[in-house]
Amino acid sequence: MIPAPTAPSVAAVVRLSRRAMADGREIIYYDEPGAAPRVAVDRRELGPRAQAGDLRFDALTGDWVSIAGHRSDRTFLPPADACPLCPTGRGSVPSEVPESDYDVVVFENRFPSFATRTDASQGALGQAAAADMVDRAELHLHRPAAGRCEVVAFTSDHEANIASLPPQRVRTVIEAWAHRTSELSTRAEVEHVFCFENRGVEIGVTLHHPHGQIYAYPDLPARTLGMLTRARQHHESTGRVLGADLLAIERTTGTRMVLEGEHWSAYVPFAARWPVEVHLVPHRDVPDLAALTAAERDELAHIYPELLGRLDRYYPAVAGQPIRMPYIAAWHQAPVRTGREVSRLHLQVFSVLRSPDRLKYLAGSESGAGAWVNDVAPESIARRLREVGS
Amino acid sequence: MIPAPTAPSVAAVVRLSRRAMADGREIIYYDEPGAAPRVAVDRRELGPRAQAGDLRFDALTGDWVSIAGHRSDRTFLPPADACPLCPTGRGSVPSEVPESDYDVVVFENRFPSFATRTDASQGALGQAAAADMVDRAELHLHRPAAGRCEVVAFTSDHEANIASLPPQRVRTVIEAWAHRTSELSTRAEVEHVFCFENRGVEIGVTLHHPHGQIYAYPDLPARTLGMLTRARQHHESTGRVLGADLLAIERTTGTRMVLEGEHWSAYVPFAARWPVEVHLVPHRDVPDLAALTAAERDELAHIYPELLGRLDRYYPAVAGQPIRMPYIAAWHQAPVRTGREVSRLHLQVFSVLRSPDRLKYLAGSESGAGAWVNDVAPESIARRLREVGS
């Protein structure tokens, strides 16, 4: 049994500075040696913090859905000089980050899908919904959408991206992810910590500054629960860890392998459901980012930008312009309190761009029935990802 | 126990004409009284029919994914004068429908995600994939993506839509759905029949002619399986049908009701996951479309276009132009061979349009973790759908 992490695990090379934002949200700077002290004060006039919405049980499917009405007002593609993730002073208005520079910074999302409850109200729902709360039918279970949503700015450089960052900075991002995973895992309401990056307007990104997000969920999301169920079945029938067996098959077969390091390998999964999809997995059975050794983090700081860089070379440039791949990078970690001995950390990176000018849409079969159809053979994806190595 | 349908159920008012297309695919006309005989011959030179792709088991999640490489060449937004669903003679080239007119027509999809296997090859995969088929690791289960994909043209009028059709024509569409459900359910390889419509370029629709599709799957899609599991749990613990209990709660509560007929009601589900979502359900426990009575079909022929028409009035017109709602209309039926006594037919209609000019994207939380966040309260959706009734 691998225990849940209980202590922060920031490496000595990163300095952590905790501050409060104007509305009480927490902001944490992760800085490399030589950075200035982080002491700036957030002097903006901000309204009250968003309350947790309503987490409702979908009796038809067994899923929990967060109803978060306050999020429909969130910031949508602001002009570059009003970027809320750039340091304050670079734009026309104070940003979410009071400092004039930073290396990596994490702060609580102003428009959270899951939030700490600070009062006993029914959250941020409209009056119609609140009135309906007398309807406590046994099938209509609901509870506060407790948890926490954080933003992770990877760099203060608005024009950068993970693939263009030096490994030292990527290493600091990894430290931040690991620390957040450790700390959020200690919160009573949190059952799962999910670090991810959405990139590209094609998948709805509303802020272009290079950043990711962390959702600390109060339950196991559907995919997490599904993977846990499968991993447990495999462990019960074989005594082995499913993720480790899948990696062994891919390393032996070879046709879907993308890259192999000393501590990490990347491959396209046998049943890839997206037109571009690749998994990056550690060679060791590791439950989450916090459990990675220093050597594993060091190699990841090189391999992760290499892998994402290949996505931007995946489709040949058109008229001299590279095709910047939109993607979702999803770090699947072990749940906080259960199944840690059978769950295995892995990164799933995937894209909806099925050709330089066409998207895969999730229409009737995928969104309606949940049945996936992929027009691209996984072996072809892997071959292309091998070709475009740097 | 409600048995699976075994006999076609076309009402006497609809005439059925079966024909073969140039490449051997089946085409079936469903015509109202007075229509001309359907005897035209498809004289096009078509290449060989697409073979079934490869259905692969995703060992991480337990889902099956169809790998259908041949579909990447499918028709993409053809000019209106080359519409493959208009009758032949209206456009510049012969269409998929040899007749010069039709009422409702169903034919096998030229670019199917699931297809009948007519040889023993590994299907339409590329050479790289075929070479990899020696890799028959126990975790990498795969089999032919057997099944059938059909196109349902609702009318020969390229500019029409369901909401604009007369009830008689909608009734004929319902007859076609019911007949296809009956007939496809008798096929040995088919476990589930899914009738749906994708409408709007926002969800990737590649043909504007008003049409739907039918997927006859060789397994239970993920959402179908999830709903079946929940329905069985509810039946075991209460002895009742889950869908009937949910309808009873909504009719009593009222805040999420949209419309009530004699045989059908529409409501917004308690845990709606889309910014616009509504379910249309029969009042009686009915496993699938084929099991509907004539009276239920008659009322549906009026209620269905009324409900879809409300979607086009959901957002106020901008500069005098109505906002045509993109949507997915998904008919969830009981599986063919299992759980028919606990499964209940229902239509799920939903849209990604979260405001007149913004889409909901399925990004990290939804597509990565499977955790849904809805920015709109279900009670607000219902209120608006009540306001825009005709």
Side-chain angles (χ1 to χ4, degrees), chain A residues 241-253:
Chain A
V241 173
L242 176 61
D245 278 3
L246 289 172
L247 172 61
I249 293 170
E250 296 303 340
R251 294 180 87 175
T252 303
T253 307

Side-chain angles (χ1 to χ4, degrees), chain A residues 110-142:
Chain A
R110 189 170 175 188
F111 305 98
S113 301
F114 298 89
T116 306
R117 272 314 256 285
T118 57
D119 65 15
S121 81
Q122 287 296 340
L125 289 177
Q127 287 188 325
D132 183 57
M133 288 304 149
V134 293
D135 154 36
R136 297 182 182 276
E138 70 182 273
L139 285 170
H140 285 182
L141 305 172
H142 68 116

Side-chain angles (χ1 to χ4, degrees), chain B residues 29-42:
Chain B
Y29 299 90
Y30 298 85
D31 285 301
E32 295 158 19
R38 305 308 184 194
V39 294
V41 175
D42 183 359

Side-chain angles (χ1 to χ4, degrees), chain A residues 49-291:
Chain A
R49 296 178 61 169
Q51 298 295 303
D54 197 36
L55 193 64
R56 296 188 178 187
F57 184 65
D58 178 354
L60 278 177
T61 64
D63 298 332
W64 289 85
V65 177
S66 171
I67 308 292
H70 55 288
R71 291 186 77 241
S72 56
D73 298 324
R74 66 187 182 276
T75 311
F76 185 76
L77 293 178
D81 77 341
C83 173
L85 305 188
C86 279
T88 286
R90 293 197 193 165
S92 56
V93 295
S95 77
E96 290 277 76
V97 187
E99 291 288 337
S100 60
D101 197 10
Y102 62 84
D103 290 344
V104 173
V105 66
V106 175
F107 57 87
E108 290 181 79
N109 197 317
R110 189 170 175 188
F111 305 98
S113 301
F114 298 89
T116 306
R117 272 314 256 285
T118 57
D119 65 15
S121 81
Q122 287 296 340
L125 289 177
Q127 287 188 325
D132 183 57
M133 288 304 149
V134 293
D135 154 36
R136 297 182 182 276
E138 70 182 273
L139 285 170
H140 285 182
L141 305 172
H142 68 116
R143 55 193 171 101
R148 184 148 144 158
C149 290
E150 300 181 342
V151 175
V152 183
F154 300 145
T155 167
S156 63
D157 179 0
H158 189 83
E159 302 299 332
N161 58 70
I162 285 277
S164 75
L165 290 180
Q168 172 67 45
R169 181 58 47 82
V170 180
R171 182 72 158 76
T172 304
V173 171
I174 295 165
E175 292 304 314
W177 283 336
H179 176 255
R180 298 315 304 147
T181 297
S182 292
E183 193 163 277
L184 292 167
S185 293
T186 65
R187 296 175 76 96
E189 75 275 25
V190 171
E191 295 294 334
H192 190 62
V193 180
F194 179 53
C195 303
F196 64 102
E197 180 190 359
N198 299 329
R199 194 184 79 165
V201 293
E202 296 89 343
I203 53 160
V205 169
T206 53
L207 297 173
H208 289 318
H209 194 108
H211 73 289
Q213 298 184 66
I214 301 173
Y215 274 25
Y217 294 106
D219 62 348
L220 297 193
R223 184 179 168 94
T224 309
L225 185 59
M227 290 195 297
L228 175 59
T229 302
R230 281 282 311 150
R232 281 188 166 138
Q233 288 169 349
H234 185 79
H235 191 259
E236 280 165 20
S237 64
T238 68
R240 298 194 304 268
V241 173
L242 176 61
D245 278 3
L246 289 172
L247 172 61
I249 293 170
E250 296 303 340
R251 294 180 87 175
T252 303
T253 307
T255 50
R256 288 176 296 274
M257 288 299 290
V258 172
L259 58 80
E260 286 189 73
E262 184 183 346
H263 301 291
W264 296 86
S265 285
Y267 61 84
V268 178
F270 176 70
R273 59 187 71 194
W274 302 90
V276 181
E277 179 171 359
V278 58
H279 291 191
L280 177 62
V281 305
H283 292 172
R284 196 168 60 88
D285 288 350
V286 176
D288 59 22
L289 288 156

Side-chain angles (χ1 to χ4, degrees), chain B residues 46 57 94 147 154 176 188 217 288 295 315 319 331 333 353 361 376 387 389:
Chain B
L46 296 177
F57 183 66
F154 300 144
Y217 295 106
D288 58 24
Y315 293 115
W331 281 102
Q333 310 203 77
L353 202 66
Y361 292 91
V376 185
E387 286 171 359

